[in-house]
Amino acid sequence: MAWNEPGGNNNDPWKNKGGRDQGPPDLDEVFKNLMGKFSKFGGGGKGGSTGGKGLGGIGLAVILGILVVVYVFSGFYTIREAERGVVLRFGEFNKFVEPGLQWKPTFVDRVIPVDVQTVRSMPSSGSMLTEDENVVRVEMEVQYKILEPYKYTFAVTSPEESLSQAFDSAIRYVVGHSKMDSVLTAGREGARQSVRDELIGIIESYDMGITVVDLNFKDARPPEEVKEAFDDAIAAQEDEQRFINEAEAYSREIEPRARGQVNRMAQEAQAYKERVTLEAQGEIARFEELLPQYKAAPEVTRSRIYLETLEEVYSNTSKILVDTEGTGNMMYLPLDKILERQSGPSIPANIRSTLEGLQNQDDSSQPVSSNTRTTRGNGLRSGRN
């Protein structure tokens, strides 16, 4: 009888391991045992074989369905607005993904989100030796942003660590080639720009996919033992700069005013020059017109010129001068003041009568001779006879 026939002693090779006629296991029996186990798991119990197989298939389908649903939902992820996703498929770069809801096959793809919009900052500080062999403590801060997510992820092992080391190296190089007074006082802006240029040159060789946005020089101070002396020196330099700024402001204020006065004086001088020139030309023209008349009648012309001159001189005064003949005395009557008082507030009657009496007395006691010149108002009242 064969080993796999019904009723034989060797119908189950797994149970009769010591038999002489052993062979390969029956595959049908193996599958049958497995299906029986699944039917028990699905609630088949000791029912018929057909029912057991049906319940086992349903349970397996439910399990597989649940696994598929879990797998599908586990692949959904979200990339934020400021990020870009770097997709690795089996550890190798595959593509970039844009912001939004995305899906990836789990255990196949890996997504690394990289923020490409936020400006990040990294501080650095330390005590450094300057060119003139002084110790100074410097604090700076660099602001940077990621431009290329792929290079930022794969160019170096640790981009932030590499940037920090490059930043420290740039600061120490610049401070080591600068003097302490320059770093502490007026040379801060130059040192800041030099550190930025040096840092950009270093990270360009690394090609990390980042760019330097700005660099801030936060603080620079000497050792604590000499801090007070340096504070006094810095205060003195600040006062010096303040005085210079005030002097420049005063200069900018007073210079336009002085220039305006110079221009005004130059214009006045030019106007005076033109006026004098025109007056001289007028005098020349008048003299040229008068010369023929003088040649024709010298005595008459001389007298006329004399009278016109007196009229011009006395037309601007209201004083009266009376020259008495033979006495050598000149009497002065301040009639201009009297007239001003008469045209002004009212004069008391007693004072007015006294003034009129004095004036009449003077007129009667001092007769006017033929040589008397009297001017009143704006013209010549009597001339020479």
Side-chain angles (χ1 to χ4, degrees):
M1 184 180 293
W3 63 273
N4 56 353
E5 291 181 0
N9 293 328
N10 295 325
N11 58 351
D12 189 358
W14 298 97
K15 295 179 180 180
N16 297 321
K17 294 181 180 180
R20 187 173 55 185
D21 298 330
Q22 292 182 356
D26 189 358
L27 295 179
D28 294 336
E29 189 68 23
V30 172
F31 281 114
K32 193 176 192 179
N33 292 333
L34 289 175
M35 293 302 295
K37 291 180 180 180
F38 276 115
S39 63
K40 291 179 181 180
F41 179 78
K46 296 182 179 181
S49 60
T50 304
K53 291 181 179 180
L55 292 175
I58 293 174
L60 181 61
V62 171
I63 293 174
L64 292 177
I66 292 174
L67 293 177
V68 170
V69 170
V70 171
Y71 180 81
V72 171
F73 276 96
S74 65
F76 286 102
Y77 63 95
T78 302
I79 299 295
R80 291 180 292 181
E81 181 65 27
E83 297 176 341
R84 298 295 181 272
V86 180
V87 179
L88 305 180
R89 180 158 294 171
F90 296 110
E92 184 180 0
F93 173 74
N94 181 260
K95 62 180 179 179
F96 292 108
V97 291
E98 297 296 325
L101 182 63
Q102 307 289 340
W103 184 84
K104 64 178 178 64
T106 308
F107 307 120
V108 177
D109 288 355
R110 178 191 171 199
V111 180
I112 303 175
V114 179
D115 192 339
V116 296
Q117 293 185 3
T118 303
V119 177
R120 310 181 184 187
S121 61
M122 177 180 294
S124 179
S125 62
S127 298
M128 306 169 193
L129 192 66
T130 60
E131 185 180 11
D132 51 356
E133 297 181 355
N134 288 314
V135 178
V136 60
R137 181 172 180 81
V138 178
E139 295 182 5
M140 291 188 178
E141 183 182 56
V142 62
Q143 297 178 355
Y144 66 97
K145 187 170 67 173
I146 300 173
L147 291 182
E148 301 182 22
Y150 176 78
K151 292 182 179 180
Y152 182 78
T153 306
F154 298 105
V156 294
T157 303
S158 177
E160 293 184 354
E161 183 68 23
S162 300
L163 179 61
S164 177
Q165 294 178 0
F167 190 25
D168 292 341
S169 177
I171 295 175
R172 295 183 183 278
Y173 176 81
V174 173
V175 173
H177 288 78
S178 303
K179 294 185 178 180
M180 184 175 186
D181 293 340
S182 177
V183 174
L184 294 179
T185 56
R188 289 192 176 191
E189 180 62 25
R192 185 191 72 83
Q193 188 64 36
S194 299
V195 171
R196 177 175 179 173
D197 296 339
E198 186 70 20
L199 177 61
I200 291 175
I202 295 175
I203 64 176
E204 283 181 352
S205 62
Y206 290 172
D207 196 17
M208 296 187 296
I210 65 175
T211 180
V212 176
V213 177
D214 196 6
L215 192 143
N216 299 323
F217 200 130
K218 299 182 67 175
D219 190 18
R221 56 181 181 272
E224 295 296 332
E225 292 77 8
V226 294
K227 185 177 182 301
E228 294 183 359
F230 272 93
D231 290 342
D232 293 339
I234 293 173
Q237 292 180 356
E238 292 177 350
D239 292 339
E240 177 186 5
Q241 188 64 34
R242 179 171 58 84
F243 293 148
I244 292 174
N245 294 335
E246 291 177 355
E248 291 178 352
Y250 177 75
S251 174
R252 288 191 297 268
E253 178 185 358
I254 202 67
E255 183 177 359
R257 189 183 307 171
R259 291 184 182 276
Q261 293 178 355
V262 170
N263 293 333
R264 181 175 57 81
M265 294 176 64
Q267 292 175 359
E268 291 178 353
Q270 182 66 24
Y272 176 76
K273 173 184 175 182
E274 294 177 357
R275 181 173 61 84
V276 171
T277 302
L278 294 176
E279 289 178 355
Q281 293 175 356
E283 292 292 332
I284 293 173
R286 190 173 64 86
F287 181 77
E288 290 178 351
E289 292 180 357
L290 187 62
L291 183 60
Q293 300 176 8
Y294 182 79
K295 289 181 179 180
E299 188 66 24
V300 175
T301 305
R302 188 182 300 112
S303 299
R304 183 167 60 83
I305 294 174
Y306 176 74
L307 295 176
E308 290 176 354
T309 303
L310 287 179
E311 182 179 4
E312 181 180 357
V313 171
Y314 286 109
S315 63
N316 296 323
T317 181
S318 60
K319 297 179 178 63
I320 298 177
L321 301 178
V322 180
D323 188 7
T324 58
E325 184 178 0
T327 61
N329 296 325
M330 181 176 291
M331 184 177 61
Y332 166 68
L333 296 179
L335 296 181
D336 55 341
K337 301 296 183 182
I338 297 173
L339 294 175
E340 289 179 359
R341 292 179 181 179
Q342 289 179 352
S343 61
S346 61
I347 301 175
N350 56 352
I351 298 177
R352 182 176 300 175
S353 61
T354 303
L355 291 175
E356 290 177 354
L358 290 174
Q359 185 175 1
N360 294 330
Q361 183 181 358
D362 292 337
D363 292 341
S364 61
S365 62
Q366 302 293 338
V368 180
S369 65
S370 60
N371 294 328
T372 301
R373 279 79 174 175
T374 304
T375 61
R376 186 178 305 225
N378 293 328
L380 183 65
R381 296 301 178 87
S382 62
R384 199 161 95 182
N385 294 329

